[in-house]
Amino acid sequence: MFLQGGCCYHLSLSLLFLVLACSFYPRPLFANATELLYDVVSYGAKGDGRTDDTDAFLKAWEAACSAHTPDDLQKQTPVLYVPKGKTFLLQRLQFNGPCTSSSIHVQISGTLMAPKSLESWKAGCQDEWIGFERVNNLKIDGGGRIYGNGPIWWDSENFRRMLKLHACDNLQLHHLEFVDSPKNHLSIGGSKGADISNLHMIAPGESPNTDGINLAGVSDIHVYDSNIGTGDDCFALNGGCSRINITNVYCGPGHGISIGSLGKDGLTETVEEIYISNCTLNGTQNGVRIKTWPGGRGHAKKITFHDIVMLDSYNPIIIDQDYCNGKAKCNPGSTAVEIRDITYSDIRGTSRLPSAVSLNCSTVGDGCKNIVMDNIHLETTGKDFDGKLVYATCINAQGTARDVVPPVKCLSSHEPLVF
């Protein structure tokens, strides 16, 4: 072969150089018949909890998001893989789409850790630590942990959301642990369609602004089988939310489940078709709450709270149509966010305060209309007001009540007929 002008020799050298060159560029692994794996370690991540692995994650995302699968592998989904047993120190991460593939999977099996000091934060005034935007058909799971190093932020005013997803339709989010977020643990906005389950969110009850799940401008969202204990709302459903289903969630500590606040600074905001069921609220500042600002416009309607257990909650059922965020006085305003078609059914448990039900509806306009209460039984725990019976307060609310303790006298009583 060497007698032919050395052609074979030169060909072998060219092939050798090609093999060596290719070895320096990470290539996706075949996780299974339907997935291509992009391991962040293959892109330079150390996972030792000390080295900044931000660039490696961004490189792995760029490769996965822009992946072109061969014709015979069109059904394979790119997977950004974060391996188990490693801790990845990360600055701000922004994962943008749209991606080449019709779907993409982020498997977090290890631990993602935020910077350990305010001084080491390099992202300036950015409002979130990890963000996804315009990534449709995104699946995030893996059983790993997202640790926000929240205590270093809680005494400052520069809070950061931990994980924010915007304009991510048809989201799947499962089996993750969120710990000590600087601000909201999970924020989802401007999106349609999400299936969310088996999330565990942990932060001290006194940690400020650490909402569990914060939703705004979203529709067709199902959250279930999760445990949320933080220092603020377990759920905050803000303007633009519709067709939200929350089922089998344990909440506490925290501020409970909140619709709103809506209508601040005269805004027009709407929330509708919300169904919250089979939930337990333990030691929360509020139970189930609807709050709107005076002077706002829009509506909160077609909202159902069903099969809810209250354990030592301070304010189990509350509507506040004159919400002022703790201020003693608010400008009364000439308008109010409409509140109507609200149903409370099969709610039971204990109230830390005697005032177990508070319907504080605005005297502007019609107040709260078509409030339905059915099969509600609340009593005091006796911890702070030993011997006092629970009671309900009611201003400008209209509706019906059946088998409700404490009695809500401003609502019409519809007792069952006895033959």
Side-chain angles (χ1 to χ4, degrees):
M1 290 190 297
F2 290 98
L3 297 177
Q4 300 180 14
C7 292
C8 241
Y9 175 75
H10 290 300
L11 179 61
S12 299
L13 281 179
S14 299
L15 182 60
L16 176 62
F17 286 136
L18 178 62
V19 170
L20 289 174
C22 289
S23 68
F24 287 101
Y25 292 90
R27 289 169 293 171
L29 303 175
F30 292 87
N32 53 51
T34 60
E35 293 186 330
L36 292 170
L37 205 64
Y38 294 81
D39 189 333
V40 295
V41 173
S42 298
Y43 289 82
K46 300 299 183 184
D48 58 11
R50 299 183 303 275
T51 304
D52 184 351
D53 288 323
T54 307
D55 287 345
F57 271 66
L58 293 175
K59 289 176 183 177
W61 171 259
E62 182 180 1
C65 187
S66 61
H68 290 272
T69 55
D71 292 339
D72 59 339
L73 298 176
Q74 284 299 311
K75 294 183 179 180
Q76 288 200 317
T77 298
V79 182
L80 177 69
Y81 178 62
V82 181
K84 186 177 181 179
K86 292 180 177 292
T87 297
F88 299 90
L89 178 63
L90 300 167
Q91 292 286 332
R92 182 174 183 267
L93 288 171
Q94 181 63 41
F95 300 122
N96 291 326
C99 294
T100 301
S101 176
S102 61
S103 63
I104 191 164
H105 182 184
V106 177
Q107 183 176 332
I108 303 171
S109 297
T111 296
L112 311 185
M113 185 171 67
K116 300 176 183 180
S117 68
L118 298 180
E119 294 74 21
S120 61
W121 175 260
K122 299 177 183 178
C125 297
Q126 295 294 336
D127 194 41
E128 68 274 348
W129 172 33
I130 302 172
F132 288 84
E133 185 158 1
R134 302 187 310 279
V135 185
N136 293 336
N137 301 306
L138 169 65
K139 179 180 180 180
I140 308 176
D141 62 8
R145 167 182 283 201
I146 305 176
Y147 177 53
N149 264 317
I152 68 171
W153 297 93
W154 295 335
D155 290 332
S156 74
E157 297 181 357
N158 299 312
F159 299 110
R160 300 286 182 268
R161 295 179 177 91
M162 186 137 74
L163 176 60
K164 179 182 177 182
L165 300 111
H166 184 260
C168 296
D169 293 347
N170 303 317
L171 168 71
Q172 296 183 61
L173 184 61
H174 308 289
H175 298 285
L176 289 172
E177 184 177 62
F178 297 73
V179 181
D180 288 351
S181 174
K183 194 178 180 182
N184 304 343
H185 285 73
L186 172 63
S187 299
I188 304 175
S191 304
K192 181 177 181 180
D195 189 85
I196 301 171
S197 72
N198 297 105
L199 303 185
H200 191 189
M201 297 182 175
I202 307 168
E206 65 276 9
S207 57
N209 300 306
T210 54
D211 289 357
I213 299 178
N214 192 294
L215 304 176
V218 298
S219 61
D220 301 304
I221 309 295
H222 187 195
V223 184
Y224 56 99
D225 298 347
S226 295
N227 190 317
I228 302 174
T230 66
D232 211 306
D233 295 331
C234 295
F235 287 89
L237 278 61
N238 299 290
C241 288
S242 63
R243 298 186 299 278
I244 310 298
N245 189 327
I246 298 171
T247 307
N248 193 31
V249 172
Y250 185 95
C251 171
H255 292 183
I257 298 175
S258 291
I259 310 295
S261 61
L262 305 176
K264 186 178 181 182
D265 297 327
L267 287 176
T268 298
E269 295 184 297
T270 64
V271 170
E272 60 189 26
E273 296 185 59
I274 310 299
Y275 188 77
I276 298 170
S277 67
N278 190 26
C279 294
T280 298
L281 294 96
N282 187 357
T284 52
Q285 186 183 93
N286 302 289
V288 290
R289 175 170 62 159
I290 300 174
K291 51 183 180 177
T292 67
W293 289 80
R297 292 176 172 83
H299 61 251
K301 66 180 184 179
K302 297 181 181 179
I303 299 170
T304 295
F305 302 100
H306 172 71
D307 191 17
I308 309 293
V309 175
M310 307 285 185
L311 301 175
D312 207 19
S313 294
Y314 279 83
N315 300 285
I317 297 175
I318 181 169
I319 293 177
D320 190 356
Q321 210 172 5
D322 287 320
Y323 175 74
C324 292
N325 195 23
K327 296 179 181 178
K329 292 184 179 180
C330 275
N331 294 326
S334 58
T335 60
V337 176
E338 180 185 26
I339 296 178
R340 64 180 174 91
D341 305 331
I342 313 298
T343 299
Y344 302 89
S345 63
D346 297 332
I347 297 177
R348 59 207 178 274
T350 54
S351 173
R352 187 71 174 262
L353 301 178
S355 178
V357 178
S358 176
L359 306 180
N360 178 32
C361 300
S362 175
T363 56
V364 175
D366 296 327
C368 305
K369 298 186 294 184
N370 194 27
I371 307 300
V372 177
M373 292 192 164
D374 182 32
N375 191 27
I376 296 173
H377 294 268
L378 298 168
E379 59 184 34
T380 57
T381 59
K383 290 183 178 180
D384 296 329
F385 294 86
D386 189 28
K388 288 191 176 182
L389 298 176
V390 292
Y391 63 86
T393 59
C394 197
I395 300 173
N396 203 24
Q398 307 166 34
T400 62
R402 176 187 180 276
D403 191 18
V404 176
V405 178
V408 185
K409 295 181 180 180
C410 69
L411 302 181
S412 302
S413 178
H414 284 190
E415 297 297 335
L417 296 176
V418 179
F419 296 95

